[in-house]
Amino acid sequence: MKHQQRQEDILFSVCIFFSAFAINLLIRKLFTTQTLVPMIFVFGVFLISLKTHGYCYGIVSAVLSVFVVNFAFTYP
């Protein structure tokens, strides 16, 4: 039972994270503003923290989203 819940939480977290990434790629193509990118990742982290069990999923997704925003969506 616990193993199945962990798998569901991981799958949910990965789906939400990649959905936020895809939405940001679409927004980057359609609009010129970059202010929406961090907000969408924050919303994704909020959803992950809300629907999963435990602190680990929210913390890992928050750290990972910071790295993704800095690496993929900001200019050097």
Side-chain angles (χ1 to χ4, degrees):
M1 183 76 169
K2 211 173 214 193
H3 184 65
Q4 182 182 4
Q5 184 65 42
R6 184 176 295 140
Q7 286 178 344
E8 290 175 3
D9 287 345
I10 290 171
L11 181 64
F12 180 78
S13 299
V14 168
C15 287
I16 293 294
F17 193 79
F18 281 126
S19 297
F21 188 77
I23 289 170
N24 280 323
L25 286 177
L26 182 67
I27 286 175
R28 189 174 172 189
K29 281 272 194 203
L30 296 176
F31 303 109
T32 58
T33 183
Q34 294 291 325
T35 58
L36 296 174
V37 172
M39 287 187 272
I40 291 173
F41 274 109
V42 166
F43 184 64
V45 169
F46 171 72
L47 288 177
I48 290 170
S49 297
L50 185 68
K51 294 294 182 181
T52 57
H53 299 88
Y55 292 107
C56 182
Y57 303 105
I59 292 170
V60 169
S61 65
V63 170
L64 193 59
S65 68
V66 168
F67 286 123
V68 168
V69 168
N70 285 337
F71 182 73
F73 295 107
T74 58
Y75 297 109

